[in-house]
């Protein structure tokens, strides 16, 4: 951000100089007669600055002045850049024929100077102008030539611009499906380009930090070296002084005693300083651990935003762009509504999990325990969850027929229930079944979310509730950020509960978790409301739980 601000400030400063220095005064600058090529480059920079300030007429004035100088110098290589910028300005002013003429001259000069990257950009620009002029065949040929040149260069930016212009061409020709595919590829490449630039920025920042750190360490070492030299010189003076007074025994004795006392004080001071340094090192280590944890949270947030949240928004942006410009009929848009609605619901759920996880990692979450009815919480969430299930034609049922009071944080348990049921919907195929039921124990309730979905492979089971944020695509390629289940495990354990699961590939998965009952519910159970569990059932439950615990779940 500081680099961008500095660049904008530089351009504004150049623009101010353009206003303050008349054209005849620029020609009188030192070296005007000796180096006209430098003046032409300066005029190009001034034109670019006015273009950034959205003053195209002023920009054209300086670019035309630069053109005159370069024509006199027969500088075709420099003219290629100037004509390309002039073509951009004329295109923005919708003077398409003039813009096309400058782009074609720019392409010819780029070809003459063997500048393949510039020639690729020129073909892209010519294709975009032909699209605006409705010369779709020529535009398609220009874009194909640009793509062919870029195959050898592998320039990420030119490839991204190619798909953007190709999407505009397909949209103009009425091929909205191809336009949508091209726009998706453009969005993917733009995201990839953004990630590369972000990686470079992080690497540069890290390098700058390491350089500053080394400079500080070198400065500390120099200070310590200077202090050591001073101490050595002081000791040398003391030795010389003692030798000089060696002949006088009384003075020698006094000096030696004083030196001894001073040495003891120095040792004491040194020990005290060492203790302070050790304490400071411990504080620095703790701060480094906190910074590392914050950095991991930040990297996870950037990763989710870059890969999981930007893609659905980019698709929605493209659909709305086509609908707004009447390039897609309402009937075609309705065809994508269900998929867009499901993507936005998944994105909303990922955002909730991300915010809760980031809050728990960075500033912690307090558990606000209270007595509440778990049946009422489930019923409130069931309407939204039923809508998600109906999208995949899944049967979603529960067996909570009367109030059950538990003691926990209702918001945490609501989020945990939502994550477990949403996860079951995600990995259950069409026409599948999901059932939520429970077992009443002596002082707690065991809730079970059971599905007949695809199941979890045994090799992947240890990753599910771990902190490695494991995530895979659903039966309809639903995406997730891998935070839902670990966050649910954390919330349930914070409320004095336990969570585990059992799964078989191709048969389904059942997630189990316990919550403490409220005192009122325990008293009701004592007064006669019980569920009978046979000894054989308890043995099976204990064996299943021991197997799950033994697998690290």
């Amino acid at each position: 951000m500081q680099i961008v601000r500095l660049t904008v400030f530089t351009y504004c400063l150049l623009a101010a100089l353009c206003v303050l220095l008349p054209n005849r005064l620029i020609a009188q600058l030192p070296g005007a007669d000796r180096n006209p090529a430098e003046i032409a480059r300066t005029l190009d920079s001034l034109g670019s600055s006015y273009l950034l300030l959205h003053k195209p007429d002023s920009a054209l004035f300086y670019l035309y002045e630069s053109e005159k100088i370069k024509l006199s110098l027969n500088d075709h290589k420099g003219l290629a850049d100037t004509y390309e910028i002039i073509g951009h300005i004329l295109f923005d002013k919708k003077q398409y024929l003039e813009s096309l003429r400058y782009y074609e001259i720019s392409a010819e000069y780029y070809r003459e100077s063997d500048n393949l990257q510039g020639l690729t950009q020129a073909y892209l620009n010519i294709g975009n102008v032909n699209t605006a002029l409705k010369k779709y065949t020529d535009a398609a040929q220009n874009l194909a030539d640009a793509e062919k040149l870029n195959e050898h260069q592998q320039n990420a930016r030119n490839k991204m611009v190619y798909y953007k212009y190709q999407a505009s061409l397909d949209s103009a020709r009425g091929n909205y499906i191809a336009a949508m595919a091209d726009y998706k590829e453009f969005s993917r490449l733009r995201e990839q380009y953004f990630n590369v630039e972000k990686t470079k920025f992080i690497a540069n920042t890290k390098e700058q930090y390491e350089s500053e750190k080394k400079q500080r360490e070198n400065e500390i070492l120099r200070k310590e070296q200077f202090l050591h030299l001073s101490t050595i010189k002081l000791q040398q003076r003391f030795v010389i002084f003692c030798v000089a007074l060696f002949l006088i025994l009384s003075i020698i004795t006094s000096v030696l005693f004083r030196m001894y006392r001073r040495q003891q004080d120095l040792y004491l001071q040194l020990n005290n300083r060492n203790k302070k340094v050790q304490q400071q090192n411990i504080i620095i280590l703790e701060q480094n651990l906190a910074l590392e944890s914050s950095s991991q949270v930040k990297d996870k947030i950037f990763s989710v935003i870059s890969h999981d949240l930007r893609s659905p928004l980019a698709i929605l942006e493209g659909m709305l762009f086509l609908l707004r410009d009447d390039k897609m009929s309402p009937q075609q848009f309705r065809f994508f509504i269900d998929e867009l609605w499901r993507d936005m619901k998944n994105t909303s759920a990922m955002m909730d999990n991300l915010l809760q996880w980031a809050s728990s990692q960075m500033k912690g979450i307090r558990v606000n325990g209270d007595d509440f009815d778990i049946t009422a919480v489930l019923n409130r969430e069931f309407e939204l969850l039923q809508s998600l299930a109906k999208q995949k034609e899944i049967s979603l049922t529960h067996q909570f027929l009367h109030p059950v009071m538990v003691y926990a944080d209702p918001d945490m348990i609501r989020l945990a229930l939502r994550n477990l049921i949403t996860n079951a919907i995600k990995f259950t195929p069409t026409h599948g079944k999901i059932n939520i039921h429970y077992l009443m124990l002596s002082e707690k309730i065991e809730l079970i979310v059971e599905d007949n979905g695809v199941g979890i492979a045994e090799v992947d089971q240890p990753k599910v509730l771990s902190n490695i944020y494991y995530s895979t695509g659903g039966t309809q390629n639903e995406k997730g950020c891998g935070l839902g289940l670990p966050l649910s495990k954390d919330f349930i354990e914070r409320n004095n509960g336990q969570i585990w699961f059992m799964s078989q590939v191709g048969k389904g998965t059942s997630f189990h978790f316990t919550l403490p009952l409220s005192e009122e519910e325990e008293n009701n159970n004592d007064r006669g409301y019980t569920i009978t569990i046979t000894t054989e059932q308890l043995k099976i439950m204990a064996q299943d739980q021991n197997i799950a615990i033994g697998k690290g779940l």
Side-chain angles (χ1 to χ4, degrees):
M1 183 62 72
Q2 292 178 351
I3 296 173
V4 174
R5 290 177 179 170
L6 181 60
T7 305
V8 173
F9 174 77
T10 304
Y11 284 147
C12 293
L13 181 60
L14 288 173
L17 289 175
C18 294
V19 175
L20 295 175
L21 293 176
N23 195 38
R24 62 178 180 274
L25 185 57
I26 292 176
Q28 297 173 0
L29 289 172
D33 295 332
R34 296 188 299 273
N35 195 356
E38 187 66 26
I39 294 177
R41 285 193 291 270
T42 303
L43 291 172
D44 283 343
S45 299
L46 293 173
S48 300
S49 301
Y50 271 114
L51 179 60
L52 288 176
L53 295 172
H54 304 288
K55 295 183 178 180
D57 294 331
S58 299
L60 284 174
F61 171 78
Y62 286 101
L63 290 170
Y64 286 143
E65 291 296 322
S66 173
E67 178 191 14
K68 294 176 183 178
I69 296 175
K70 291 181 179 180
L71 285 172
S72 65
L73 297 173
N74 199 24
D75 182 12
H76 288 182
K77 183 177 180 181
L79 280 170
D81 295 330
T82 303
Y83 284 155
E84 183 179 4
I85 299 173
I86 293 175
H88 291 333
I89 298 173
L90 294 175
F91 182 85
D92 291 339
K93 296 179 72 173
K94 298 185 178 180
Q95 298 179 12
Y96 299 130
L97 291 175
E98 281 296 305
S99 174
L100 178 62
R101 185 172 70 86
Y102 279 101
Y103 280 148
E104 288 175 346
I105 299 174
S106 173
E108 180 180 353
Y109 287 161
Y110 277 134
R111 188 182 298 107
E112 180 183 312
S113 60
D114 201 22
N115 186 344
L116 295 182
Q117 183 174 349
L119 184 59
T120 303
Q121 294 173 356
Y123 279 144
L124 290 172
N125 295 330
I126 293 172
N128 193 31
V129 174
N130 282 328
T131 300
L133 293 172
K134 299 184 179 180
K135 298 179 180 179
Y136 302 137
T137 303
D138 294 340
Q141 183 61 43
N142 298 141
L143 294 178
D145 293 340
E147 183 185 22
K148 185 175 181 181
L149 282 175
N150 199 46
E151 286 179 356
H152 302 287
Q153 304 171 51
Q154 293 298 319
N155 185 289
R157 185 180 181 278
N158 286 342
K159 189 174 183 181
M160 177 179 66
V161 174
Y162 163 77
Y163 279 104
K164 179 181 179 182
Y165 289 168
Q166 187 66 41
S168 299
L169 175 59
D170 290 336
S171 178
R173 292 192 295 191
N175 190 357
Y176 300 122
I177 295 177
M180 188 64 185
D182 292 332
Y183 193 83
K184 285 184 177 180
E185 183 64 15
F186 163 69
S187 299
R188 185 187 70 79
L189 291 173
R190 182 177 60 181
E191 178 182 350
Q192 183 178 358
Y193 184 78
F194 166 78
N195 290 336
V196 171
E197 293 299 318
K198 181 187 72 174
T199 303
K200 290 181 180 178
F201 176 75
I202 292 174
N204 292 334
T205 304
K206 184 177 180 181
E207 183 178 357
Q208 182 180 0
Y209 169 76
E210 293 294 335
S211 176
E212 293 177 354
K213 181 179 178 182
K214 289 181 180 179
Q215 290 178 358
R216 289 193 298 268
E217 291 176 351
N218 291 335
E219 186 65 23
I220 293 174
L221 289 174
R222 283 195 297 269
K223 289 181 179 179
E224 291 179 351
Q225 185 178 8
F226 177 78
L227 181 61
H228 291 162
L229 291 175
S230 301
T231 304
I232 292 172
K233 290 180 180 179
L234 181 62
Q235 291 176 350
Q236 289 175 349
R237 291 174 184 175
F238 270 115
V239 170
I240 294 173
F241 180 73
C242 293
V243 172
L245 297 179
F246 182 78
L247 297 176
I248 307 172
L249 293 178
S250 60
I251 299 176
I252 290 176
T253 304
S254 176
V255 170
L256 290 174
F257 178 76
R258 292 178 181 178
M259 288 182 65
Y260 173 77
R261 290 294 301 272
R262 183 171 183 80
Q263 188 178 16
Q264 292 297 321
D265 293 338
L266 288 174
Y267 281 135
L268 182 61
Q269 293 177 7
L270 183 60
N271 290 332
N272 292 334
R273 289 181 181 178
N274 288 335
K275 291 179 180 179
K276 291 180 179 179
V277 169
Q278 291 176 354
Q279 293 175 353
Q280 291 176 352
N281 288 336
I282 294 173
I283 295 173
I284 291 173
L285 289 175
E286 293 175 352
Q287 292 175 348
N288 287 338
L289 291 175
L291 288 173
E292 183 178 356
S293 177
S294 299
S295 177
Q296 292 176 354
V297 173
K298 178 194 69 175
D299 292 342
K300 183 62 181 178
I301 291 174
F302 279 148
S303 175
V304 173
I305 292 175
S306 298
H307 295 88
D308 298 324
L309 299 183
R310 285 171 59 89
S311 295
L313 295 178
I315 295 173
L316 179 60
E317 179 188 3
M319 296 292 293
L320 294 177
F321 166 76
L322 295 174
L323 185 64
R324 184 197 65 183
D325 292 347
D326 296 329
K327 297 178 180 178
M328 175 184 288
S329 65
Q331 291 79 10
Q332 290 176 322
F333 183 75
R334 290 193 192 98
F335 180 76
F336 298 101
I337 284 179
D338 291 340
E339 183 179 353
L340 289 175
W341 183 86
R342 184 169 61 253
D343 288 344
M344 294 309 296
K345 286 299 181 183
N346 289 335
T347 303
S348 177
M350 282 192 292
M351 182 64 74
D352 288 341
N353 287 334
L354 179 63
L355 293 176
Q356 291 287 348
W357 176 79
S359 177
S360 66
Q361 293 293 315
M362 299 181 69
K363 61 182 180 181
I365 294 181
R366 294 181 59 186
V367 178
N368 298 317
D370 196 6
D371 294 334
F372 69 94
D373 181 10
I374 189 68
T375 302
V377 170
L378 180 60
N379 287 331
R380 281 195 296 270
E381 295 293 322
F382 222 67
E383 181 177 355
L384 171 62
L385 299 171
Q386 281 284 15
S387 299
L388 290 175
K390 287 179 181 178
Q391 289 292 322
K392 296 179 69 173
E393 300 181 8
I394 294 174
S395 172
L396 178 62
T397 58
H398 73 81
Q399 298 178 2
F400 286 74
L401 303 179
H402 63 275
V404 179
M405 302 299 295
V406 298
Y407 182 80
D409 188 319
D411 292 330
M412 289 185 175
I413 303 307
R414 181 183 295 109
L415 182 62
L417 264 174
R418 187 190 308 163
N419 282 333
L420 292 176
I421 300 173
T422 303
N423 197 64
I425 296 173
K426 176 180 176 183
F427 294 102
T428 299
T430 305
H431 306 300
K433 295 182 180 180
I434 301 174
N435 184 33
I436 301 98
H437 53 99
Y438 67 96
L439 293 174
M440 293 290 292
L441 305 178
S442 60
E443 296 180 353
K444 58 187 177 182
I445 180 174
E446 179 181 334
L447 292 92
I448 305 167
V449 179
E450 186 174 6
D451 64 69
N452 62 347
V454 296
I456 305 172
E458 186 174 354
V459 67
D460 294 327
Q461 291 184 9
K463 307 175 186 176
V464 172
L465 295 177
S466 65
N467 290 327
I468 62 175
Y469 312 118
Y470 171 75
S471 176
T472 58
T475 57
Q476 293 186 358
N477 294 323
E478 299 97 329
K479 293 183 178 180
C481 56
L483 298 175
L485 292 179
L487 187 64
S488 301
K489 176 178 181 291
D490 181 38
F491 282 0
I492 291 171
E493 290 178 349
R494 286 173 183 262
N495 286 275
N496 298 321
Q498 294 178 337
I499 183 171
W500 67 95
F501 70 91
M502 292 172 285
S503 180
Q504 292 184 9
V505 176
K507 294 184 178 181
T509 305
S510 63
F511 275 86
H512 304 244
F513 69 94
T514 62
L515 291 175
L517 294 171
S518 66
E519 294 183 359
E520 177 183 355
E521 190 68 35
E522 292 180 14
N523 293 334
N524 289 337
N525 290 341
D526 293 340
R527 286 198 297 271
Y529 179 79
T530 57
I531 292 179
T532 304
I533 301 175
T534 64
T535 306
E536 203 60 30
Q537 289 175 330
L538 286 175
K539 289 181 179 179
I540 294 173
M541 290 168 55
Q543 290 175 357
D544 291 341
Q545 188 168 358
N546 289 334
I547 292 172
I549 295 173
K551 291 182 179 179
L553 304 180

